[in-house]
Amino acid sequence: MKIAILTSGGDSAGMNAVVRAVVKTGVLKGCEMWVVREGYEGLVRGNTEYTQTDESVAPTPSNNGLVSEEGTPSIVNNLRFGDGSLLRDGTCDYTGGRTLNGRYIVRVGFDDVRGWFAEGGTLIGTARSKAFRTPEGRLTAAYNLIKEGIDALVVCGGDGSLTGADVFRAEWPSLIAELLAQSKITEAQAKEHAHLKIVGLVGSIDNDMSMTDMTIGAPTALHRICEAMDNINSTAISHSRAFVLEVMGRHCGWLALLAGVAGGADFIFIPERPPKSMSWEDEMCGAIHRHREMGKRKTIVIVAEGAIDIELNPIKAEYVKEVLTTRLGLDTRVTTLGHTQRGGRPCAWDRIMPTLQGVEAVSALLEATPKTPSYMIGIQENKITRIPLMEAVEMTRAVAQAVSEKDFEKAMSLRDPDFAESLDGFMATSVLVKEPALPKEKRLRVAIMHMGAPAGGMNAATRAAVRYCLRQGHTPLAVQNGFRGLLDDSIIELSWLGVDSWMPRGGSELGTNRTLPSIDLGAVASTFQKFSFDALMMIGGFEAFHALLILEEGRKHYPAFHIPMVHLPATLSNNVPMTEFSLGSDTSLNALVDACDAIKQSASASRNRVFVVETQGGKCGYIATMGALATGASLVYIPEVGINLDMLRRDVRFLKTRYSLDEKGRNEGRLVLRNEAASSVYTTEVLTNMFKEEGAPLFDARSASLGHTLQGGVPSPIDRARAVRLSLKSMSFIELHHSLLQTQPAKTRQASGDSAAVITIQSHSIKWVPVQEMAKHADMKNRRGKESWWQAQGVTELIEALAGRPSLK
């Protein structure tokens, strides 16, 4: 099969990762791969303006006597076709005759897309094509595809781009008939290309497509906004100023909403849920005035570019500034982030998600028949999904239609359920109420504790819990320095304003360590009783799960533990059983990606250098594996698989083969990721020395240990938003189980096993797992779950496949 891929509409970070994944996967599956420059406009222009000369013919890689392993297609004859550097550098021609001028449908090989991961935007270009919107333009596009023998198309773009692809497919039979009638194609060509196969991937920074959790580019855009907010915060506090930020989102308020949650904004304006009254100025000023009365020195208001009031009148940033200045007397500034939200290197998730989706796109094309619908490749948490393309487009457009009809409830219902939860979360953590919601008899004393190693999002989760407590009338009690601090009576009450600046802070503001309650369980119970704890919330990794297990078992002997107790997983290792994501793992992945991008740049500058990069993660290989996928590493070593001598022999042979196939003078620097506990014998130093010795003279080797840099830094927006969502659900769980306990006689009160539970993310839903049930799924010796989703989905095998390892012998 010949497959072409194009990017269309507005650019977004992650599009290059899609192109890379589609091209490499296609080559691995024996397909001939092409890219279309400048979107649909490139389809219309084709290669008709181009005259091939001898100087411009791409060299075909020779086999060099190499064979592929049994059952895998050879990539050796499809490594490169001469245009990879031209595409990546953004130039049209090189001195010596190689040119892209007049060529819009370009064949590419396995190595032509190398190094594209770290590039923002789209290297194959995008353009809005008026010609393709006409029947004549689509007829020309069909002819250009058939001329190159292409009958399968991957389109990465927004709803308009995907609709155009579906229309193109629907019209294809009539276009073929017309081309045949005009004698532009032969009967044989008409028969061979009777059907066009289409698959779509959503590239949009607005995250505005229905039936998928995330669109390609949205996480990176959110990163850009939160980076700007974090920087603005310091100057806003210094001058006690107000800032109005305008962000993108013409028909969708996802960026504004998630930035409001993750950045700790005071007020937001989004298209789907305008302020409830026409006098929204009073509502906004009232909320901000209460914050200022409390003593807050900064004010952040976020306005989506499509923000409206309930009568559909636009709400503009400049007018919001005027209101804040005149009514509250605040020194106010406007910052319009504009296209900075689109640009820059993709974040970790905008490399991982497009890669997985690109692989699935090729599979969907290979399995497609004339009767199957055009699919959109979506994602639900970590599960890649196929959705009938036009169903998703129609639901997306129904949101805009509902807004235009002032049916805002319907607009909210058509968004992903997480959208409504995020809005509720923003309100719960930003609104300062005059009176608590609950009567005194229902108010609780809630202990909040951090456990284990620090992780990004711990402080954000604590901030959300504290503000929810104060909104309801509960007393939030911070236990400093874990169970050691508890035994030292290091317990303080937290305030609304005291946690205001915790959202972007990494590490642990409460202090944390790995000490378990078994150090003195009786004294722990006594302290619970002394401070009259009604509930306990632990935020941490495997230690917090283990501690909860000990406390639940301690209920047999200590009545003080008969209270609701929850564990919110937070660990960069992502090793808590049964949950697919832990707070801090996304922050750690982004730190790893940043470091590896810099390391790979150094390795590539040296032309022939392999870097062995050691990561944290304990005996769980999540960070190393997903980091390898996000950085394009050639090999990865993890504890779940281990390392042996036969494996190392094969790996050395692969690296030598791979370097021997590189274009002369343009050898690529390569990464090998090794989890710190992958092997006690084959250490990072041993691997580095072995690669250096065995690889000479083809390549050299160096090592780098990332260590605790993966624990620190500013939490990612995804970790912050996830922290708020999970923290608020934890507080609701506590209230529910406390109310159930209150129905029992005080002296004989017994908490059920369900009241000591861990909040988990499983597939696309949040589930509570009783700690005793979770213990059945835990590998206590290796401190990880018995099963992991990323191993079940074959991520390790995918990393090696995209590096070409199984195809080279």
Side-chain angles (χ1 to χ4, degrees):
M1 180 184 288
K2 293 186 178 183
I3 302 173
I5 179 169
L6 63 84
T7 53
S8 179
D11 68 296
S12 61
M15 281 183 165
N16 291 320
V18 167
V19 176
R20 173 185 178 272
V22 168
V23 169
K24 283 178 173 278
T25 304
V27 171
L28 289 170
K29 291 182 180 290
C31 301
E32 194 173 294
M33 301 306 300
W34 300 69
V35 296
V36 181
R37 299 173 54 229
E38 312 303 343
Y40 287 117
E41 186 66 21
L43 277 187
V44 176
R45 293 185 183 183
N47 296 333
T48 53
E49 303 170 14
Y50 169 68
T51 302
Q52 182 169 292
T53 63
D54 290 340
E55 293 84 3
S56 61
V57 177
T60 301
S62 63
N63 188 283
N64 289 343
L66 296 162
V67 296
S68 59
E69 293 182 2
E70 185 178 352
T72 58
S74 174
I75 65 169
V76 178
N77 292 322
N78 292 279
L79 278 177
R80 50 190 168 271
F81 293 92
D83 296 310
S85 297
L86 288 170
L87 290 165
R88 186 177 179 185
D89 293 345
T91 186
C92 284
D93 51 30
Y94 282 151
T95 303
R98 194 75 194 155
T99 182
L100 286 175
N101 284 322
R103 298 168 58 217
Y104 291 91
I105 304 176
V106 181
R107 188 174 180 187
V108 288
F110 198 83
D111 279 1
D112 287 325
V113 292
R114 75 180 190 181
W116 287 29
F117 246 151
E119 303 289 341
T122 168
L123 293 174
I124 60 175
T126 180
R128 304 187 188 278
S129 176
K130 292 182 179 179
F132 189 77
R133 294 193 181 103
T134 67
E136 296 79 12
R138 292 191 291 275
L139 183 68
T140 304
Y143 172 70
N144 288 331
L145 285 178
I146 293 170
K147 189 171 67 171
E148 304 296 347
I150 298 166
D151 55 7
L153 190 62
V154 179
V155 176
C156 182
D159 63 338
S161 301
L162 300 190
T163 301
D166 193 69
V167 169
F168 194 36
R169 183 195 180 194
E171 291 181 351
W172 187 262
S174 63
L175 297 174
I176 294 294
E178 188 170 348
L179 289 171
L180 185 60
Q182 295 177 6
S183 300
K184 288 189 174 182
I185 61 174
T186 64
E187 290 276 1
Q189 286 177 311
K191 186 176 180 180
E192 185 181 355
H193 301 285
H195 302 285
L196 177 66
K197 298 176 180 179
I198 290 282
V199 67
L201 299 100
V202 192
S204 168
I205 70 166
D206 293 341
N207 199 28
D208 54 354
M209 182 64 76
S210 298
M211 304 179 76
T212 184
D213 287 353
M214 196 79 73
T215 59
I216 295 163
T220 301
L222 183 60
H223 270 254
R224 298 291 170 268
I225 296 169
C226 288
E227 286 167 3
M229 290 181 68
D230 293 345
N231 293 335
I232 284 171
N233 274 333
S234 59
T235 187
I237 290 173
S238 299
H239 296 273
S240 191
R241 279 182 178 146
F243 276 83
V244 182
L245 269 70
E246 182 182 292
V247 302
M248 288 187 173
R250 192 174 306 151
H251 300 295
C252 179
W254 186 85
L255 283 175
L257 171 56
L258 268 291
V261 172
D266 295 85
F267 209 83
I268 61 172
F269 293 97
I270 59 175
E272 297 91 340
R273 180 57 64 85
K276 294 181 179 178
S277 67
M278 278 299 292
S279 56
W280 58 262
E281 297 92 341
D282 296 337
E283 184 181 339
M284 177 185 70
C285 289
I288 292 171
H289 180 65
R290 285 192 291 275
H291 293 177
R292 288 285 176 162
E293 275 190 326
M294 174 68 72
K296 193 172 182 182
R297 285 182 56 82
K298 66 178 176 67
T299 297
I300 304 289
V301 177
I302 302 179
V303 182
E305 63 177 331
I308 51 175
D309 63 22
I310 55 172
E311 292 300 322
L312 308 184
N313 300 307
I315 295 176
K316 297 298 182 183
E318 284 292 341
Y319 179 63
V320 173
K321 170 195 171 183
E322 183 183 327
V323 171
L324 293 175
T325 302
T326 56
R327 294 200 181 189
L328 297 180
L330 297 177
D331 183 6
T332 309
R333 300 286 189 274
V334 171
T335 299
T336 303
L337 298 182
H339 284 75
T340 60
Q341 296 161 83
R342 288 195 184 277
R345 295 182 305 113
C347 67
W349 199 237
D350 262 332
R351 304 181 189 206
I352 294 169
M353 175 177 63
T355 298
L356 297 175
Q357 289 178 304
V359 171
E360 181 67 16
V362 175
S363 297
L365 287 176
L366 292 173
E367 296 167 14
T369 68
K371 293 183 179 180
T372 55
S374 300
Y375 283 115
M376 178 190 86
I377 308 301
I379 190 167
Q380 291 185 333
E381 289 296 348
N382 59 47
K383 300 293 188 298
I384 304 301
T385 58
R386 295 183 192 179
I387 302 134
L389 190 152
M390 289 313 297
E391 285 185 22
V393 170
E394 287 164 7
M395 184 176 286
T396 301
R397 291 179 174 174
V399 177
Q401 182 64 28
V403 169
S404 68
E405 295 171 354
K406 303 180 186 178
D407 191 347
F408 302 112
E409 291 301 323
K410 182 179 179 181
M412 287 294 295
S413 70
L414 291 170
R415 289 286 183 219
D416 186 273
D418 291 356
F419 190 91
E421 284 188 7
S422 295
L423 183 58
D424 291 340
F426 175 76
M427 299 304 293
T429 56
S430 66
V431 176
L432 184 59
V433 296
K434 294 179 180 178
E435 292 293 331
L438 296 177
K440 289 184 178 180
E441 63 272 14
K442 291 189 177 182
R443 298 176 187 176
L444 313 177
R445 291 173 60 81
V446 181
I448 304 171
M449 178 189 297
H450 295 176
M451 276 209 71
M458 278 184 161
N459 297 320
T462 305
R463 177 184 184 272
V466 168
R467 290 200 163 178
Y468 181 88
C469 282
L470 296 172
R471 181 186 178 93
Q472 297 293 92
H474 306 315
T475 301
L477 300 168
V479 180
Q480 298 179 307
N481 199 28
F483 281 99
R484 288 190 181 278
L486 181 83
L487 295 175
D488 291 336
D489 291 348
S490 185
I491 298 168
I492 60 172
E493 186 174 336
L494 295 174
S495 66
W496 193 93
L497 191 60
V499 297
D500 184 60
S501 60
W502 284 20
M503 189 63 79
R505 290 187 187 177
S508 166
E509 288 295 307
L510 302 186
T512 181
N513 57 58
R514 300 180 187 274
T515 302
L516 295 171
S518 53
I519 188 175
D520 192 340
L521 197 58
V524 169
S526 176
T527 307
F528 272 43
Q529 196 168 4
K530 177 181 178 180
F531 285 91
S532 303
F533 291 164
D534 295 309
L536 172 66
M537 178 179 180
M538 288 188 290
I539 305 169
F542 200 90
E543 292 82 5
F545 153 64
H546 195 183
L548 182 60
L549 186 62
I550 293 169
L551 293 174
E552 201 280 332
E553 291 173 346
R555 284 174 168 174
K556 302 170 187 174
H557 308 290
Y558 301 104
F561 297 150
H562 283 278
I563 58 174
M565 297 184 289
V566 301
H567 168 211
L568 197 169
T571 166
L572 69 89
S573 304
N574 201 28
N575 62 338
V576 176
M578 298 187 73
T579 189
E580 294 167 359
F581 297 103
S582 301
L583 300 186
S585 59
D586 185 69
T587 300
S588 184
L589 275 175
N590 279 288
L592 186 149
V593 164
D594 289 345
C596 285
D597 279 354
I599 290 169
K600 196 166 186 178
Q601 191 177 65
S602 170
S604 294
S606 301
R607 294 300 186 202
N608 59 347
R609 181 163 290 170
V610 172
F611 262 91
V612 182
V613 180
E614 182 177 294
T615 75
Q616 286 194 330
K619 292 192 176 181
C620 177
Y622 174 83
I623 288 295
T625 302
M626 302 309 287
L629 186 63
T631 57
S634 298
L635 299 167
V636 59
Y637 300 110
I638 57 175
E640 289 87 347
V641 177
I643 308 175
N644 60 55
L645 202 53
D646 286 340
M647 179 189 298
L648 293 176
R649 285 195 188 100
R650 291 193 299 269
D651 291 346
V652 168
R653 191 161 56 243
F654 160 65
L655 287 173
K656 291 173 76 171
T657 301
R658 188 61 269 233
Y659 270 97
S660 72
L661 290 170
D662 280 350
E663 190 177 353
K664 189 175 180 180
R666 299 184 66 86
N667 300 78
E668 182 184 13
R670 290 182 168 88
L671 299 178
V672 173
L673 264 62
R674 179 190 176 276
N675 171 280
E676 60 186 346
S679 171
S680 59
V681 175
Y682 300 108
T683 63
T684 300
E685 183 181 5
V686 169
L687 292 184
T688 305
N689 289 335
M690 183 190 66
F691 288 145
K692 186 185 298 185
E693 179 70 20
E694 297 294 330
L698 284 171
F699 61 88
D700 188 15
R702 295 287 189 275
S703 64
S705 179
L706 301 185
H708 286 74
T709 60
L710 301 182
Q711 288 185 8
V714 176
S716 72
I718 289 177
D719 270 335
R720 299 189 215 177
R722 192 174 280 155
V724 172
R725 182 186 180 202
L726 297 180
S727 183
L728 296 180
K729 284 189 175 292
S730 296
M731 293 307 304
S732 298
F733 176 92
I734 285 171
E735 289 179 332
L736 171 64
H737 282 275
H738 180 266
S739 64
L740 292 174
L741 276 173
Q742 295 303 107
T743 62
Q744 302 178 24
K747 291 186 178 180
T748 59
R749 198 165 286 165
Q750 298 284 319
S752 68
D754 291 347
S755 66
V758 183
I759 188 168
T760 66
I761 298 174
Q762 298 182 32
S763 189
H764 59 281
S765 60
I766 290 176
K767 296 181 180 179
W768 285 98
V769 180
V771 68
Q772 291 291 351
E773 174 65 23
M774 180 168 281
K776 299 175 185 176
H777 298 267
D779 179 348
M780 300 301 289
K781 179 182 177 181
N782 291 310
R783 294 164 44 82
R784 64 187 185 223
K786 292 179 180 177
E787 298 176 349
S788 58
W789 68 266
W790 47 275
Q791 279 188 290
Q793 291 188 15
V795 174
T796 305
E797 292 79 5
L798 176 60
I799 292 164
E800 293 187 347
L802 294 176
R805 186 183 183 281
S807 303
L808 299 174
K809 186 177 178 181

